[in-house]
Amino acid sequence: MNFGPAPATDSSRDGTVVIGAGIAGLVCAVLVATSGRPVTVLERAAAPGGKMREIAVDGVRVDSGPTVLTLRGVFDAIFEAAGARLDERVRLRRAEILARHAWEGDARLDLFADVERSADAIGAFAGAREAKGFREFCAASARVFAMLDEPFIRAPEPSLPRLIASRGLMGAHELLAIRPFGTLMPALEGFFRDPRLAQLFGRYATYTGSSPYLAPATLMLIAHVEQAGVWLVEGGMQRLADALHALAVEKGATFRFGCAAREVLVEGGRIAGVATAQGERIPAARVVANADSGAIAAGILGREAARAVPAASPSQRSLSALTLSLRARTRGFPITRHTVFFSRDYPAEFEAIFRRGRLPDEPTVYVCAQDRDDRGGRIDGAAEDAPERLFMIVNAPATGDNRPFDEEEIATCDTATFRHLNRLGLSVERTPEGTRLTTPSDFERLFPGTGGALYGRASHGWNASFERPSVRTRLPGLYLAGGSVHPGAGVPMAALSGWTAAHLISRDSASTARSRTMGIAGGTSTS
């Protein structure tokens, strides 16, 4: 993508305001500022990062949002486009063990970045037939990614007809071969007879806030993304947000933290600026809303912005979560940096969340042990039984605005969570001062209008990916960014939406100002 140089105009009238300093907003600010255009970022929180956040627990800071970086090439390209290098701004280490997985009966399985090591581990765990199925699954996930990467994931305004047209007649046959109209769990059962393996890879649906029983089979491409590289950010994921913030400032962007946007202002059918919660009016020719698209459609940024964004029903919301940020001692189970403890009844878990709007009776629990490496060793030099930083996620319905859970419901789920961990061998010794709980209602307060949904709209149904709002809206000068819009949820996808917003601003500005465009080195290739 190209970013044209800014025409010489009055910056107070031609500027861009980015609402929200999440990853998408930060990327957009970096690239718009790199082009020489004035950009101001408004963020209601005190620091950048959005859902990429840290929580202070018992005197230490715990990563309490996304915990890994994938599709590193996206960020290499972003930093390169701004004349910088990612590896000089952020320290990254590639994980060898992607995650350890546990089930009832002391069953454990490690997945590795190397496909053959994973196949060998699966063979030892479930037999040669399942190892063969895994290799076939990996090949299929690579085909899905190759099929969708350029014409869909990185397309600014994708559609099914455009996707088919991009592949030609043979491409239509290839598209049918990747099961675009099927759901994920039945597709996985075609590769794996062992239900535990289908459950493991079905978890990829939750990466987009969805149920594996309702999400499209094409989400198997996440397996290929992980095998292409999972990176641990030394010091925590907040360092990536900090690096993007610093780079944007270097390029001339202005940040105003503790400043919430109240309304997108429109005059003559075009963007005129933003009104803040403090009553200030900030003139601008373009606004990028790095906020949940459903919340914008519901009116959190005013009537004019709401009209420009497709409406979304609360029933379409993605998963929320109960999260625990802990400083605690662990005993028993040999946890690694990433460990997943699966529930005994996966269908019942998602039935409770998506059908009944309830917390699951027995949840699947994700544990990120932030003082351990991917092999399970302590990286902080502390003794094995010393307190360590843990971040736990339990999936929950996004009902934080219309049906908040009461203390009894939260306590019941908390008890079920640690009972489940104990049964699978992990004992967690925690204290009140070493525990911070975040509920769907808390996420609603952090991100108003979402009900606590963390991924925008759930990817349910074969057409779900095409129903996500695109970056460009119906209102000239208003653009969207973030995990709730195309290409979807997750750190690299949100970053790509910010990249697309910056590209469209450059293209639209060049068109109206009749200025020539200038190529910038770098791209968004994620191979």
Side-chain angles (χ1 to χ4, degrees), residues 157 264 266 268-271 287 293 296-298 302-312 457 467-480 504 508:
E157 298 173 88
V264 173
V266 177
R270 293 192 62 87
I271 291 295
V287 170
S293 61
I296 296 171
R303 183 182 302 175
E304 296 292 342
R307 290 173 176 170
V309 179
R457 180 182 301 198
E467 292 176 342
R468 279 186 179 269
S470 60
V471 170
R472 191 194 300 278
T473 73
R474 295 189 289 264
L475 177 60
L478 176 63
Y479 307 86
L480 305 179
L504 292 177
D508 295 348

PDB file of all heavy atoms in Angstrom, residues 157 264 266 268-271 287 293 296-298 302-312 457 467-480 504 508:
ATOM      1  N   GLU A 157     -11.818  -3.783   0.977  1.00  0.00           N
ATOM      2  CA  GLU A 157     -13.270  -3.911   0.987  1.00  0.00           C
ATOM      3  C   GLU A 157     -13.656  -5.238   0.332  1.00  0.00           C
ATOM      4  O   GLU A 157     -14.061  -5.286  -0.821  1.00  0.00           O
ATOM      5  CB  GLU A 157     -13.912  -2.728   0.261  1.00  0.00           C
ATOM      6  CG  GLU A 157     -13.608  -1.400   0.936  1.00  0.00           C
ATOM      7  CD  GLU A 157     -14.087  -0.204   0.141  1.00  0.00           C
ATOM      8  OE1 GLU A 157     -15.247   0.185   0.341  1.00  0.00           O
ATOM      9  OE2 GLU A 157     -13.305   0.318  -0.665  1.00  0.00           O
ATOM     10  N   VAL A 264     -18.895  12.402  16.902  1.00  0.00           N
ATOM     11  CA  VAL A 264     -18.295  12.735  15.614  1.00  0.00           C
ATOM     12  C   VAL A 264     -19.138  13.842  14.991  1.00  0.00           C
ATOM     13  O   VAL A 264     -20.354  13.691  14.836  1.00  0.00           O
ATOM     14  CB  VAL A 264     -18.238  11.506  14.697  1.00  0.00           C
ATOM     15  CG1 VAL A 264     -17.778  11.903  13.297  1.00  0.00           C
ATOM     16  CG2 VAL A 264     -17.303  10.446  15.284  1.00  0.00           C
ATOM     17  N   VAL A 266     -20.409  16.439  12.069  1.00  0.00           N
ATOM     18  CA  VAL A 266     -20.637  16.389  10.622  1.00  0.00           C
ATOM     19  C   VAL A 266     -21.242  17.717  10.172  1.00  0.00           C
ATOM     20  O   VAL A 266     -22.157  18.240  10.812  1.00  0.00           O
ATOM     21  CB  VAL A 266     -21.570  15.224  10.243  1.00  0.00           C
ATOM     22  CG1 VAL A 266     -21.861  15.216   8.748  1.00  0.00           C
ATOM     23  CG2 VAL A 266     -20.961  13.897  10.682  1.00  0.00           C
ATOM     24  N   GLY A 268     -22.459  19.521   6.356  1.00  0.00           N
ATOM     25  CA  GLY A 268     -22.585  19.387   4.910  1.00  0.00           C
ATOM     26  C   GLY A 268     -22.371  17.977   4.405  1.00  0.00           C
ATOM     27  O   GLY A 268     -21.902  17.769   3.282  1.00  0.00           O
ATOM     28  N   GLY A 269     -22.709  16.988   5.238  1.00  0.00           N
ATOM     29  CA  GLY A 269     -22.573  15.596   4.818  1.00  0.00           C
ATOM     30  C   GLY A 269     -21.165  15.045   4.898  1.00  0.00           C
ATOM     31  O   GLY A 269     -20.918  13.935   4.427  1.00  0.00           O
ATOM     32  N   ARG A 270     -20.244  15.800   5.492  1.00  0.00           N
ATOM     33  CA  ARG A 270     -18.864  15.330   5.631  1.00  0.00           C
ATOM     34  C   ARG A 270     -18.383  15.554   7.062  1.00  0.00           C
ATOM     35  O   ARG A 270     -18.941  16.352   7.821  1.00  0.00           O
ATOM     36  CB  ARG A 270     -17.930  16.078   4.668  1.00  0.00           C
ATOM     37  CG  ARG A 270     -18.173  15.792   3.193  1.00  0.00           C
ATOM     38  CD  ARG A 270     -17.021  16.352   2.357  1.00  0.00           C
ATOM     39  NE  ARG A 270     -15.755  15.715   2.715  1.00  0.00           N
ATOM     40  CZ  ARG A 270     -15.326  14.577   2.172  1.00  0.00           C
ATOM     41  NH1 ARG A 270     -16.056  13.956   1.258  1.00  0.00           N
ATOM     42  NH2 ARG A 270     -14.172  14.067   2.525  1.00  0.00           N
ATOM     43  N   ILE A 271     -17.313  14.842   7.406  1.00  0.00           N
ATOM     44  CA  ILE A 271     -16.714  14.974   8.732  1.00  0.00           C
ATOM     45  C   ILE A 271     -16.234  16.405   8.958  1.00  0.00           C
ATOM     46  O   ILE A 271     -15.605  17.013   8.087  1.00  0.00           O
ATOM     47  CB  ILE A 271     -15.525  14.005   8.876  1.00  0.00           C
ATOM     48  CG1 ILE A 271     -16.029  12.558   8.921  1.00  0.00           C
ATOM     49  CG2 ILE A 271     -14.691  14.316  10.115  1.00  0.00           C
ATOM     50  CD1 ILE A 271     -16.877  12.233  10.134  1.00  0.00           C
ATOM     51  N   VAL A 287     -11.900  11.221  10.476  1.00  0.00           N
ATOM     52  CA  VAL A 287     -11.933  10.594  11.792  1.00  0.00           C
ATOM     53  C   VAL A 287     -11.813   9.089  11.613  1.00  0.00           C
ATOM     54  O   VAL A 287     -12.500   8.499  10.765  1.00  0.00           O
ATOM     55  CB  VAL A 287     -13.236  10.932  12.551  1.00  0.00           C
ATOM     56  CG1 VAL A 287     -13.366  10.074  13.810  1.00  0.00           C
ATOM     57  CG2 VAL A 287     -13.277  12.411  12.907  1.00  0.00           C
ATOM     58  N   SER A 293     -17.572  -1.533  16.476  1.00  0.00           N
ATOM     59  CA  SER A 293     -18.490  -1.030  15.452  1.00  0.00           C
ATOM     60  C   SER A 293     -19.947  -1.129  15.897  1.00  0.00           C
ATOM     61  O   SER A 293     -20.772  -0.256  15.578  1.00  0.00           O
ATOM     62  CB  SER A 293     -18.292  -1.789  14.137  1.00  0.00           C
ATOM     63  OG  SER A 293     -18.553  -3.174  14.306  1.00  0.00           O
ATOM     64  N   ILE A 296     -20.653   1.815  18.050  1.00  0.00           N
ATOM     65  CA  ILE A 296     -20.800   3.031  17.246  1.00  0.00           C
ATOM     66  C   ILE A 296     -22.185   3.070  16.619  1.00  0.00           C
ATOM     67  O   ILE A 296     -22.874   4.102  16.634  1.00  0.00           O
ATOM     68  CB  ILE A 296     -19.712   3.094  16.159  1.00  0.00           C
ATOM     69  CG1 ILE A 296     -18.327   3.190  16.804  1.00  0.00           C
ATOM     70  CG2 ILE A 296     -19.942   4.280  15.228  1.00  0.00           C
ATOM     71  CD1 ILE A 296     -17.186   3.040  15.818  1.00  0.00           C
ATOM     72  N   ALA A 297     -22.620   1.925  16.075  1.00  0.00           N
ATOM     73  CA  ALA A 297     -23.961   1.854  15.471  1.00  0.00           C
ATOM     74  C   ALA A 297     -25.054   2.113  16.497  1.00  0.00           C
ATOM     75  O   ALA A 297     -26.138   2.584  16.153  1.00  0.00           O
ATOM     76  CB  ALA A 297     -24.162   0.486  14.816  1.00  0.00           C
ATOM     77  N   ALA A 298     -24.775   1.811  17.769  1.00  0.00           N
ATOM     78  CA  ALA A 298     -25.751   2.050  18.835  1.00  0.00           C
ATOM     79  C   ALA A 298     -25.738   3.489  19.327  1.00  0.00           C
ATOM     80  O   ALA A 298     -26.584   3.872  20.138  1.00  0.00           O
ATOM     81  CB  ALA A 298     -25.497   1.107  20.002  1.00  0.00           C
ATOM     82  N   GLY A 302     -22.451   9.426  18.638  1.00  0.00           N
ATOM     83  CA  GLY A 302     -23.424  10.345  18.081  1.00  0.00           C
ATOM     84  C   GLY A 302     -24.256   9.765  16.956  1.00  0.00           C
ATOM     85  O   GLY A 302     -23.972   8.697  16.416  1.00  0.00           O
ATOM     86  N   ARG A 303     -25.289  10.497  16.604  1.00  0.00           N
ATOM     87  CA  ARG A 303     -26.277  10.014  15.636  1.00  0.00           C
ATOM     88  C   ARG A 303     -25.693   9.872  14.234  1.00  0.00           C
ATOM     89  O   ARG A 303     -25.973   8.904  13.532  1.00  0.00           O
ATOM     90  CB  ARG A 303     -27.468  10.976  15.608  1.00  0.00           C
ATOM     91  CG  ARG A 303     -28.590  10.539  14.683  1.00  0.00           C
ATOM     92  CD  ARG A 303     -29.706  11.557  14.675  1.00  0.00           C
ATOM     93  NE  ARG A 303     -30.234  11.775  16.027  1.00  0.00           N
ATOM     94  CZ  ARG A 303     -31.145  12.693  16.313  1.00  0.00           C
ATOM     95  NH1 ARG A 303     -31.606  13.491  15.373  1.00  0.00           N
ATOM     96  NH2 ARG A 303     -31.589  12.826  17.550  1.00  0.00           N
ATOM     97  N   GLU A 304     -24.891  10.837  13.801  1.00  0.00           N
ATOM     98  CA  GLU A 304     -24.368  10.800  12.434  1.00  0.00           C
ATOM     99  C   GLU A 304     -23.435   9.606  12.230  1.00  0.00           C
ATOM    100  O   GLU A 304     -23.502   8.926  11.206  1.00  0.00           O
ATOM    101  CB  GLU A 304     -23.641  12.106  12.102  1.00  0.00           C
ATOM    102  CG  GLU A 304     -24.529  13.329  12.101  1.00  0.00           C
ATOM    103  CD  GLU A 304     -25.528  13.307  10.957  1.00  0.00           C
ATOM    104  OE1 GLU A 304     -25.324  12.557   9.992  1.00  0.00           O
ATOM    105  OE2 GLU A 304     -26.530  14.065  11.027  1.00  0.00           O
ATOM    106  N   ALA A 305     -22.572   9.344  13.190  1.00  0.00           N
ATOM    107  CA  ALA A 305     -21.687   8.184  13.084  1.00  0.00           C
ATOM    108  C   ALA A 305     -22.490   6.894  13.116  1.00  0.00           C
ATOM    109  O   ALA A 305     -22.199   5.937  12.385  1.00  0.00           O
ATOM    110  CB  ALA A 305     -20.656   8.199  14.214  1.00  0.00           C
ATOM    111  N   ALA A 306     -23.533   6.850  13.943  1.00  0.00           N
ATOM    112  CA  ALA A 306     -24.356   5.642  14.049  1.00  0.00           C
ATOM    113  C   ALA A 306     -25.007   5.310  12.714  1.00  0.00           C
ATOM    114  O   ALA A 306     -25.111   4.129  12.341  1.00  0.00           O
ATOM    115  CB  ALA A 306     -25.417   5.830  15.130  1.00  0.00           C
ATOM    116  N   ARG A 307     -25.446   6.331  11.998  1.00  0.00           N
ATOM    117  CA  ARG A 307     -26.094   6.091  10.709  1.00  0.00           C
ATOM    118  C   ARG A 307     -25.134   5.527   9.672  1.00  0.00           C
ATOM    119  O   ARG A 307     -25.570   4.915   8.688  1.00  0.00           O
ATOM    120  CB  ARG A 307     -26.677   7.406  10.187  1.00  0.00           C
ATOM    121  CG  ARG A 307     -27.883   7.913  10.959  1.00  0.00           C
ATOM    122  CD  ARG A 307     -28.269   9.295  10.458  1.00  0.00           C
ATOM    123  NE  ARG A 307     -29.495   9.784  11.102  1.00  0.00           N
ATOM    124  CZ  ARG A 307     -29.945  11.022  10.982  1.00  0.00           C
ATOM    125  NH1 ARG A 307     -29.263  11.902  10.234  1.00  0.00           N
ATOM    126  NH2 ARG A 307     -31.057  11.389  11.582  1.00  0.00           N
ATOM    127  N   ALA A 308     -23.848   5.746   9.853  1.00  0.00           N
ATOM    128  CA  ALA A 308     -22.859   5.351   8.849  1.00  0.00           C
ATOM    129  C   ALA A 308     -22.344   3.935   9.029  1.00  0.00           C
ATOM    130  O   ALA A 308     -21.579   3.439   8.197  1.00  0.00           O
ATOM    131  CB  ALA A 308     -21.676   6.323   8.883  1.00  0.00           C
ATOM    132  N   VAL A 309     -22.761   3.273  10.111  1.00  0.00           N
ATOM    133  CA  VAL A 309     -22.210   1.956  10.468  1.00  0.00           C
ATOM    134  C   VAL A 309     -23.340   0.942  10.537  1.00  0.00           C
ATOM    135  O   VAL A 309     -24.401   1.230  11.102  1.00  0.00           O
ATOM    136  CB  VAL A 309     -21.474   2.040  11.829  1.00  0.00           C
ATOM    137  CG1 VAL A 309     -20.916   0.687  12.222  1.00  0.00           C
ATOM    138  CG2 VAL A 309     -20.357   3.078  11.760  1.00  0.00           C
ATOM    139  N   PRO A 310     -23.149  -0.267   9.969  1.00  0.00           N
ATOM    140  CA  PRO A 310     -24.201  -1.286  10.027  1.00  0.00           C
ATOM    141  C   PRO A 310     -24.570  -1.639  11.466  1.00  0.00           C
ATOM    142  O   PRO A 310     -23.686  -1.814  12.312  1.00  0.00           O
ATOM    143  CB  PRO A 310     -23.576  -2.483   9.306  1.00  0.00           C
ATOM    144  CG  PRO A 310     -22.486  -1.911   8.476  1.00  0.00           C
ATOM    145  CD  PRO A 310     -21.969  -0.727   9.217  1.00  0.00           C
ATOM    146  N   ALA A 311     -25.849  -1.724  11.730  1.00  0.00           N
ATOM    147  CA  ALA A 311     -26.314  -2.065  13.078  1.00  0.00           C
ATOM    148  C   ALA A 311     -26.005  -3.517  13.389  1.00  0.00           C
ATOM    149  O   ALA A 311     -25.911  -4.370  12.499  1.00  0.00           O
ATOM    150  CB  ALA A 311     -27.811  -1.809  13.193  1.00  0.00           C
ATOM    151  N   ALA A 312     -25.830  -3.806  14.668  1.00  0.00           N
ATOM    152  CA  ALA A 312     -25.575  -5.175  15.120  1.00  0.00           C
ATOM    153  C   ALA A 312     -26.429  -5.455  16.349  1.00  0.00           C
ATOM    154  O   ALA A 312     -26.532  -4.621  17.247  1.00  0.00           O
ATOM    155  CB  ALA A 312     -24.099  -5.368  15.448  1.00  0.00           C
ATOM    156  N   ARG A 457     -18.228  -8.705  16.572  1.00  0.00           N
ATOM    157  CA  ARG A 457     -19.295  -9.639  16.216  1.00  0.00           C
ATOM    158  C   ARG A 457     -18.741 -11.055  16.169  1.00  0.00           C
ATOM    159  O   ARG A 457     -17.640 -11.288  15.667  1.00  0.00           O
ATOM    160  CB  ARG A 457     -19.849  -9.246  14.854  1.00  0.00           C
ATOM    161  CG  ARG A 457     -20.965 -10.122  14.336  1.00  0.00           C
ATOM    162  CD  ARG A 457     -21.401  -9.675  12.954  1.00  0.00           C
ATOM    163  NE  ARG A 457     -21.863  -8.288  12.938  1.00  0.00           N
ATOM    164  CZ  ARG A 457     -22.606  -7.769  11.970  1.00  0.00           C
ATOM    165  NH1 ARG A 457     -22.973  -8.511  10.946  1.00  0.00           N
ATOM    166  NH2 ARG A 457     -22.983  -6.519  12.029  1.00  0.00           N
ATOM    167  N   GLU A 467     -19.785 -10.178   6.722  1.00  0.00           N
ATOM    168  CA  GLU A 467     -20.734  -9.280   7.366  1.00  0.00           C
ATOM    169  C   GLU A 467     -20.058  -8.289   8.302  1.00  0.00           C
ATOM    170  O   GLU A 467     -20.701  -7.351   8.784  1.00  0.00           O
ATOM    171  CB  GLU A 467     -21.774 -10.097   8.141  1.00  0.00           C
ATOM    172  CG  GLU A 467     -22.709 -10.897   7.228  1.00  0.00           C
ATOM    173  CD  GLU A 467     -23.659 -11.776   8.006  1.00  0.00           C
ATOM    174  OE1 GLU A 467     -23.384 -12.032   9.202  1.00  0.00           O
ATOM    175  OE2 GLU A 467     -24.667 -12.205   7.435  1.00  0.00           O
ATOM    176  N   ARG A 468     -18.784  -8.493   8.572  1.00  0.00           N
ATOM    177  CA  ARG A 468     -18.073  -7.503   9.390  1.00  0.00           C
ATOM    178  C   ARG A 468     -18.017  -6.179   8.643  1.00  0.00           C
ATOM    179  O   ARG A 468     -17.776  -6.154   7.442  1.00  0.00           O
ATOM    180  CB  ARG A 468     -16.652  -7.976   9.697  1.00  0.00           C
ATOM    181  CG  ARG A 468     -16.560  -8.949  10.838  1.00  0.00           C
ATOM    182  CD  ARG A 468     -15.116  -9.277  11.182  1.00  0.00           C
ATOM    183  NE  ARG A 468     -15.066 -10.197  12.299  1.00  0.00           N
ATOM    184  CZ  ARG A 468     -14.995  -9.851  13.579  1.00  0.00           C
ATOM    185  NH1 ARG A 468     -14.939  -8.568  13.882  1.00  0.00           N
ATOM    186  NH2 ARG A 468     -14.973 -10.752  14.520  1.00  0.00           N
ATOM    187  N   PRO A 469     -18.213  -5.068   9.329  1.00  0.00           N
ATOM    188  CA  PRO A 469     -18.115  -3.773   8.648  1.00  0.00           C
ATOM    189  C   PRO A 469     -16.726  -3.594   8.038  1.00  0.00           C
ATOM    190  O   PRO A 469     -15.726  -4.065   8.587  1.00  0.00           O
ATOM    191  CB  PRO A 469     -18.351  -2.771   9.780  1.00  0.00           C
ATOM    192  CG  PRO A 469     -19.094  -3.527  10.819  1.00  0.00           C
ATOM    193  CD  PRO A 469     -18.589  -4.933  10.739  1.00  0.00           C
ATOM    194  N   SER A 470     -16.667  -2.932   6.914  1.00  0.00           N
ATOM    195  CA  SER A 470     -15.375  -2.611   6.316  1.00  0.00           C
ATOM    196  C   SER A 470     -14.831  -1.337   6.941  1.00  0.00           C
ATOM    197  O   SER A 470     -15.528  -0.631   7.676  1.00  0.00           O
ATOM    198  CB  SER A 470     -15.509  -2.458   4.798  1.00  0.00           C
ATOM    199  OG  SER A 470     -16.417  -1.423   4.493  1.00  0.00           O
ATOM    200  N   VAL A 471     -13.590  -1.035   6.648  1.00  0.00           N
ATOM    201  CA  VAL A 471     -12.943   0.133   7.234  1.00  0.00           C
ATOM    202  C   VAL A 471     -13.599   1.426   6.756  1.00  0.00           C
ATOM    203  O   VAL A 471     -13.804   2.357   7.534  1.00  0.00           O
ATOM    204  CB  VAL A 471     -11.437   0.111   6.903  1.00  0.00           C
ATOM    205  CG1 VAL A 471     -10.767   1.420   7.276  1.00  0.00           C
ATOM    206  CG2 VAL A 471     -10.761  -1.061   7.625  1.00  0.00           C
ATOM    207  N   ARG A 472     -13.960   1.503   5.486  1.00  0.00           N
ATOM    208  CA  ARG A 472     -14.617   2.691   4.963  1.00  0.00           C
ATOM    209  C   ARG A 472     -16.108   2.653   5.321  1.00  0.00           C
ATOM    210  O   ARG A 472     -16.759   1.620   5.196  1.00  0.00           O
ATOM    211  CB  ARG A 472     -14.458   2.767   3.447  1.00  0.00           C
ATOM    212  CG  ARG A 472     -14.899   4.120   2.874  1.00  0.00           C
ATOM    213  CD  ARG A 472     -15.060   4.030   1.366  1.00  0.00           C
ATOM    214  NE  ARG A 472     -13.836   3.670   0.690  1.00  0.00           N
ATOM    215  CZ  ARG A 472     -12.856   4.524   0.380  1.00  0.00           C
ATOM    216  NH1 ARG A 472     -12.961   5.791   0.747  1.00  0.00           N
ATOM    217  NH2 ARG A 472     -11.777   4.109  -0.260  1.00  0.00           N
ATOM    218  N   THR A 473     -16.657   3.767   5.767  1.00  0.00           N
ATOM    219  CA  THR A 473     -18.077   3.840   6.116  1.00  0.00           C
ATOM    220  C   THR A 473     -18.850   4.611   5.052  1.00  0.00           C
ATOM    221  O   THR A 473     -18.272   5.142   4.105  1.00  0.00           O
ATOM    222  CB  THR A 473     -18.283   4.548   7.473  1.00  0.00           C
ATOM    223  OG1 THR A 473     -18.037   5.956   7.312  1.00  0.00           O
ATOM    224  CG2 THR A 473     -17.362   3.979   8.540  1.00  0.00           C
ATOM    225  N   ARG A 474     -20.157   4.708   5.265  1.00  0.00           N
ATOM    226  CA  ARG A 474     -21.015   5.451   4.335  1.00  0.00           C
ATOM    227  C   ARG A 474     -20.856   6.965   4.471  1.00  0.00           C
ATOM    228  O   ARG A 474     -21.314   7.718   3.617  1.00  0.00           O
ATOM    229  CB  ARG A 474     -22.480   5.069   4.568  1.00  0.00           C
ATOM    230  CG  ARG A 474     -22.796   3.620   4.251  1.00  0.00           C
ATOM    231  CD  ARG A 474     -24.294   3.374   4.294  1.00  0.00           C
ATOM    232  NE  ARG A 474     -24.843   3.415   5.623  1.00  0.00           N
ATOM    233  CZ  ARG A 474     -25.059   2.337   6.380  1.00  0.00           C
ATOM    234  NH1 ARG A 474     -24.746   1.134   5.895  1.00  0.00           N
ATOM    235  NH2 ARG A 474     -25.591   2.441   7.573  1.00  0.00           N
ATOM    236  N   LEU A 475     -20.216   7.405   5.540  1.00  0.00           N
ATOM    237  CA  LEU A 475     -20.042   8.839   5.784  1.00  0.00           C
ATOM    238  C   LEU A 475     -18.654   9.269   5.296  1.00  0.00           C
ATOM    239  O   LEU A 475     -17.637   8.789   5.827  1.00  0.00           O
ATOM    240  CB  LEU A 475     -20.181   9.133   7.279  1.00  0.00           C
ATOM    241  CG  LEU A 475     -19.958  10.573   7.738  1.00  0.00           C
ATOM    242  CD1 LEU A 475     -20.951  11.514   7.056  1.00  0.00           C
ATOM    243  CD2 LEU A 475     -20.078  10.664   9.259  1.00  0.00           C
ATOM    244  N   PRO A 476     -18.563  10.137   4.304  1.00  0.00           N
ATOM    245  CA  PRO A 476     -17.254  10.554   3.795  1.00  0.00           C
ATOM    246  C   PRO A 476     -16.365  11.126   4.904  1.00  0.00           C
ATOM    247  O   PRO A 476     -16.782  12.000   5.656  1.00  0.00           O
ATOM    248  CB  PRO A 476     -17.599  11.637   2.761  1.00  0.00           C
ATOM    249  CG  PRO A 476     -18.977  11.297   2.319  1.00  0.00           C
ATOM    250  CD  PRO A 476     -19.667  10.766   3.550  1.00  0.00           C
ATOM    251  N   GLY A 477     -15.168  10.571   4.993  1.00  0.00           N
ATOM    252  CA  GLY A 477     -14.217  11.029   5.997  1.00  0.00           C
ATOM    253  C   GLY A 477     -14.228  10.240   7.284  1.00  0.00           C
ATOM    254  O   GLY A 477     -13.370  10.454   8.151  1.00  0.00           O
ATOM    255  N   LEU A 478     -15.194   9.314   7.461  1.00  0.00           N
ATOM    256  CA  LEU A 478     -15.238   8.483   8.665  1.00  0.00           C
ATOM    257  C   LEU A 478     -14.777   7.071   8.319  1.00  0.00           C
ATOM    258  O   LEU A 478     -15.324   6.431   7.413  1.00  0.00           O
ATOM    259  CB  LEU A 478     -16.649   8.430   9.251  1.00  0.00           C
ATOM    260  CG  LEU A 478     -16.822   7.509  10.473  1.00  0.00           C
ATOM    261  CD1 LEU A 478     -15.979   7.989  11.650  1.00  0.00           C
ATOM    262  CD2 LEU A 478     -18.296   7.408  10.878  1.00  0.00           C
ATOM    263  N   TYR A 479     -13.783   6.588   9.060  1.00  0.00           N
ATOM    264  CA  TYR A 479     -13.224   5.254   8.857  1.00  0.00           C
ATOM    265  C   TYR A 479     -13.290   4.494  10.184  1.00  0.00           C
ATOM    266  O   TYR A 479     -13.282   5.094  11.268  1.00  0.00           O
ATOM    267  CB  TYR A 479     -11.765   5.338   8.390  1.00  0.00           C
ATOM    268  CG  TYR A 479     -11.567   6.228   7.182  1.00  0.00           C
ATOM    269  CD1 TYR A 479     -11.379   7.606   7.337  1.00  0.00           C
ATOM    270  CD2 TYR A 479     -11.574   5.704   5.897  1.00  0.00           C
ATOM    271  CE1 TYR A 479     -11.204   8.434   6.234  1.00  0.00           C
ATOM    272  CE2 TYR A 479     -11.393   6.526   4.791  1.00  0.00           C
ATOM    273  CZ  TYR A 479     -11.211   7.885   4.966  1.00  0.00           C
ATOM    274  OH  TYR A 479     -11.039   8.708   3.885  1.00  0.00           O
ATOM    275  N   LEU A 480     -13.350   3.182  10.081  1.00  0.00           N
ATOM    276  CA  LEU A 480     -13.366   2.321  11.260  1.00  0.00           C
ATOM    277  C   LEU A 480     -12.052   1.555  11.354  1.00  0.00           C
ATOM    278  O   LEU A 480     -11.387   1.312  10.337  1.00  0.00           O
ATOM    279  CB  LEU A 480     -14.524   1.334  11.199  1.00  0.00           C
ATOM    280  CG  LEU A 480     -15.923   1.903  11.001  1.00  0.00           C
ATOM    281  CD1 LEU A 480     -16.948   0.777  10.946  1.00  0.00           C
ATOM    282  CD2 LEU A 480     -16.271   2.893  12.110  1.00  0.00           C
ATOM    283  N   LEU A 504      -6.420   4.182   3.062  1.00  0.00           N
ATOM    284  CA  LEU A 504      -7.587   4.833   2.466  1.00  0.00           C
ATOM    285  C   LEU A 504      -7.545   6.346   2.674  1.00  0.00           C
ATOM    286  O   LEU A 504      -7.942   7.113   1.784  1.00  0.00           O
ATOM    287  CB  LEU A 504      -8.866   4.241   3.052  1.00  0.00           C
ATOM    288  CG  LEU A 504      -9.159   2.781   2.677  1.00  0.00           C
ATOM    289  CD1 LEU A 504     -10.415   2.291   3.395  1.00  0.00           C
ATOM    290  CD2 LEU A 504      -9.299   2.607   1.177  1.00  0.00           C
ATOM    291  N   ASP A 508      -7.705   8.663  -0.455  1.00  0.00           N
ATOM    292  CA  ASP A 508      -8.808   9.614  -0.576  1.00  0.00           C
ATOM    293  C   ASP A 508      -8.302  11.052  -0.557  1.00  0.00           C
ATOM    294  O   ASP A 508      -8.815  11.911  -1.281  1.00  0.00           O
ATOM    295  CB  ASP A 508      -9.817   9.398   0.552  1.00  0.00           C
ATOM    296  CG  ASP A 508     -10.500   8.037   0.464  1.00  0.00           C
ATOM    297  OD1 ASP A 508     -10.364   7.370  -0.582  1.00  0.00           O
ATOM    298  OD2 ASP A 508     -11.157   7.647   1.453  1.00  0.00           O
TER     299      ASP A 508
END
